[in-house]
Amino acid sequence: MFDQAIVELLRDQPIVAPADVDRLAPEVGPATVSSRSDKLAPAALEQIRATLEKGHFEEAAELFESRGDEPTVEGKVLFSRLLSNQGKWRVALEVLGSI
């Protein structure tokens, strides 16, 4: 019965890595050593880029929060990409204009 509940919870969700299961079903427990341990330290830009490419915009926003004010050009470009995907194109243009 428990396994069926997990399947129902994950139905129609984009799952491409164990961290996706951890994100979508946190009460089940980590599938592997997951991104939960990464939340203690600022997220790497590579991790943010991969998250954006998967279309996980809420998770990407959380990862950006862990970085604080983004100092790098690459980070600002990725952040503007996130903003654009969230429909905040004016803010995205401001971020790009600040580079």
Side-chain angles (χ1 to χ4, degrees):
M1 180 73 86
F2 183 68
D3 293 334
Q4 187 176 10
I6 294 170
V7 172
E8 286 296 318
L9 184 64
L10 298 176
R11 176 177 286 166
D12 299 323
Q13 297 297 320
I15 307 291
V16 295
D20 295 333
V21 175
D22 293 347
R23 177 179 56 81
L24 294 167
E27 67 279 356
V28 173
T32 62
V33 176
S34 73
S35 61
R36 291 185 188 140
S37 61
D38 297 339
K39 292 184 181 178
L40 301 175
L45 289 177
E46 295 79 21
Q47 180 183 11
I48 293 172
R49 184 182 315 99
T51 303
L52 285 170
E53 288 173 357
K54 292 180 208 172
H56 298 184
F57 304 124
E58 290 178 15
E59 183 179 353
E62 291 174 7
L63 293 172
F64 268 115
E65 285 180 21
S66 76
R67 292 183 64 87
D69 291 334
E70 182 55 53
T72 68
V73 171
E74 180 182 9
K76 288 180 181 185
V77 169
L78 289 172
F79 187 59
S80 67
R81 180 176 170 191
L82 170 65
L83 291 168
S84 176
N85 285 315
Q86 293 175 327
K88 301 174 184 175
W89 61 270
R90 287 185 181 159
V91 180
L93 288 174
E94 290 174 13
V95 170
L96 287 174
S98 72
I99 296 176

